[in-house]
Amino acid sequence: MPFSPKQTRELLDQLEHLPNRKLGQNFLVDGNIVRKSLELAEVRPGDRVIEIGPGLGTLSKALIKAGAEVWAVERDATLAEHLKSSLCPQTEAFHLIEGDCLEYPFAGLPEEAAAEPFKIVANLPYAVSTPWMEAVLTGPLPQRMALMLQKEAGDRYIAESDNKSFGAISIFLQSAYKVHARHIVSASCFYPAPKVSSMLLCLERKESPIRFPSETRIQIRSFFTQRRKQLAALCRKENDPRLSAWFQALTDKGVLPTVRPEQVTTEDWAKLLKF
Ligand code: SAM
């Protein structure tokens, strides 16, 4: 069971720690959400699981109890110190790095372990969830992810074309993952309660995941910074033979030259990978 809001406040007082808003410190205080996260990720004994921002260790303890081996990265020095003195001595199944998840997106999971199936279960620091996700999509791909996110970020990840939330991250993520489940989570499930809405999202790796190389990602991202422009103008602008080939390939598939980037589907973007 996670700590109640009162127990969380008392523990934070004991550590003389005020929740840091910049680091998104909204701790889980709802047992159902902890259970649901593990259930969605299908955590089984022996699983290798990455956790981002373990905080006071609520999800970590549940993962370890379920028999998983956990690799976690925590940026806050006080919380990392608390975990090192409370959880680490109790178990060899918890490996902690004190650092930034953008520097350690896989929380130090050893290369040989990442070559085997692994999962990610995390109540993410909302401010860095998208750059972290982009980093994950360039590395070894986890089998399954159960992630707590700001609702707006989750909406962007799962948006389809022709939607204002559809963007580069929707394309990169949905080329590799399908959405298994999505739940809106009430602010009362956290202490302190966040001012933004939250979403628990479960993603399952596709059988043949598609990964975009760095150059293509940069180009697609740049298109989406000019969302109002039409495809023809975007592809013509830089006088680049590769962009001309993209334009030809898309229009040959029936995509109109007048559409905006958000109107081109993930499947059509993926067709450009051969250029
Ligand atoms: N997992 C805990 C829970 O569910 O109660 C805490 C989740 S809280 C939403 C996010 C956690 O991420 C905090 O512990 C925060 O200190 C940590 N954090 C924030 N930014 C981070 C970063 N860039 N790298 C690693 N951890 C970070």
Side-chain angles (χ1 to χ4, degrees), residues 23-28 51 53-55 73-76 79 99-101 123-125 128:
L23 293 184
Q25 290 179 354
N26 303 99
F27 303 98
L28 269 172
E51 188 190 356
V73 54
E74 171 57 60
R75 182 162 167 197
D76 187 291
L79 300 181
D100 189 337
C101 65
N123 173 14
L124 290 171
V128 292

Side-chain angles (χ1 to χ4, degrees), residues 44 59 87 91 133 146 152 155 173 184 189 204 213 230 235:
R44 304 277 180 266
L59 268 176
L87 191 51
T91 173
M133 176 59 89
E152 280 69 19
D155 283 342
L173 184 66
I184 300 302
C189 296
E204 193 185 345
Q230 297 181 350
C235 290

Side-chain angles (χ1 to χ4, degrees), residues 36-211:
K36 190 86 198 156
S37 304
L38 269 66
E39 191 185 297
L40 289 172
E42 296 182 351
V43 176
R44 304 277 180 266
D47 274 359
R48 301 164 188 80
V49 178
I50 287 173
E51 188 190 356
I52 303 300
L56 295 168
T58 299
L59 268 176
S60 331
K61 283 186 244 171
L63 287 164
I64 293 163
K65 196 165 168 214
E69 183 161 12
V70 180
W71 281 265
V73 54
E74 171 57 60
R75 182 162 167 197
D76 187 291
T78 307
L79 300 181
E81 203 43 56
H82 169 66
L83 290 168
K84 276 185 214 159
S85 60
S86 59
L87 191 51
C88 293
Q90 286 180 26
T91 173
E92 288 183 357
F94 186 65
H95 314 268
L96 179 71
I97 289 189
E98 182 184 332
D100 189 337
C101 65
L102 298 182
E103 211 177 314
Y104 301 98
F106 294 93
L109 180 73
E111 234 172 78
E112 62 278 12
E116 303 283 327
F118 69 96
K119 298 171 178 172
I120 303 186
V121 180
N123 173 14
L124 290 171
Y126 292 177
V128 292
S129 64
T130 299
W132 168 78
M133 176 59 89
E134 288 217 18
V136 167
L137 292 174
T138 61
L141 294 175
Q143 215 185 355
R144 225 173 162 82
M145 299 189 255
L147 305 173
M148 185 71 74
L149 300 150
Q150 182 170 348
K151 181 183 170 295
E152 280 69 19
D155 283 342
R156 280 200 301 278
Y157 295 2
I158 63 179
E160 294 188 0
S161 56
D162 259 332
N163 181 307
K164 68 175 171 30
S165 300
F166 185 69
I169 188 71
S170 331
I171 297 166
F172 307 150
L173 184 66
Q174 291 171 38
S175 299
Y177 285 88
K178 53 189 175 202
V179 179
H180 172 71
R182 161 193 185 277
H183 301 282
I184 300 302
V185 178
S186 152
S188 64
C189 296
F190 307 89
Y191 177 84
K195 292 197 167 43
V196 295
S197 308
S198 302
M199 181 194 284
L200 178 60
L201 185 63
C202 179
L203 301 160
E204 193 185 345
R205 194 177 62 201
K206 288 185 168 174
E207 252 175 51
S208 309
I210 293 173
R211 216 198 293 253

